[in-house]
Amino acid sequence: MARVRKADKKIETTSEAGVVARPSLELCRELIEMSSDWIWKLDKNLRCIYSNSKVADIIGYTVDEIIGKRPFDLVDKEEAERIKTFLSLQKEKRPLL
């Protein structure tokens, strides 16, 4: 059986084997950083507010360089127009094809 204890305002679950489960936020961060995929989050203005470090391997930018950029800043003008069209259709919940 697992038991729950409260220590330093953190709740930890200890299994019978004595393994302490980490808080889920910390675990998610570790999984994101270990991913072989580039994972990023955009704000409502489509500016990057989070990126894992895989961005450097995939597109050559560091995390510090990608923060604040929009998808349109990373591609040529023709591709930027396609992205804008896609996002517009998605916002209107219209079919992509």
Side-chain angles (χ1 to χ4, degrees), residues 45-57:
N45 297 313
L46 301 178
R47 295 205 178 273
C48 178
I49 58 172
Y50 172 82
S51 176
N52 67 348
S53 58
K54 197 64 180 174
V55 66
D57 295 338

Side-chain angles (χ1 to χ4, degrees), residues 59-78:
I59 64 170
Y61 286 91
T62 65
V63 171
D64 288 339
E65 291 171 324
I66 202 74
I67 298 297
K69 295 217 183 290
R70 300 174 308 151
F72 321 115
D73 300 331
L74 307 173
V75 296
D76 62 36
K77 289 182 182 188
E78 184 179 308

Side-chain angles (χ1 to χ4, degrees), residues 7-89:
D8 297 326
K9 297 184 183 177
K10 290 183 183 178
I11 297 176
E12 300 174 334
T13 303
T14 306
S15 70
E16 288 179 4
V19 177
V20 176
R22 289 183 223 149
S24 60
L25 182 59
E26 181 183 342
L27 179 59
C28 288
R29 284 185 179 146
E30 287 179 11
L31 290 171
I32 289 169
E33 283 304 318
M34 291 178 1
S35 174
S36 60
D37 296 321
W38 174 27
I39 300 171
W40 62 329
K41 179 172 176 53
L42 305 177
D43 67 11
K44 66 181 180 180
N45 297 313
L46 301 178
R47 295 205 178 273
C48 178
I49 58 172
Y50 172 82
S51 176
N52 67 348
S53 58
K54 197 64 180 174
V55 66
D57 295 338
I58 295 175
I59 64 170
Y61 286 91
T62 65
V63 171
D64 288 339
E65 291 171 324
I66 202 74
I67 298 297
K69 295 217 183 290
R70 300 174 308 151
F72 321 115
D73 300 331
L74 307 173
V75 296
D76 62 36
K77 289 182 182 188
E78 184 179 308
E79 184 64 17
E81 287 304 314
R82 279 194 288 239
I83 293 170
K84 287 177 185 178
T85 300
F86 169 79
L87 292 173
S88 174
L89 292 172

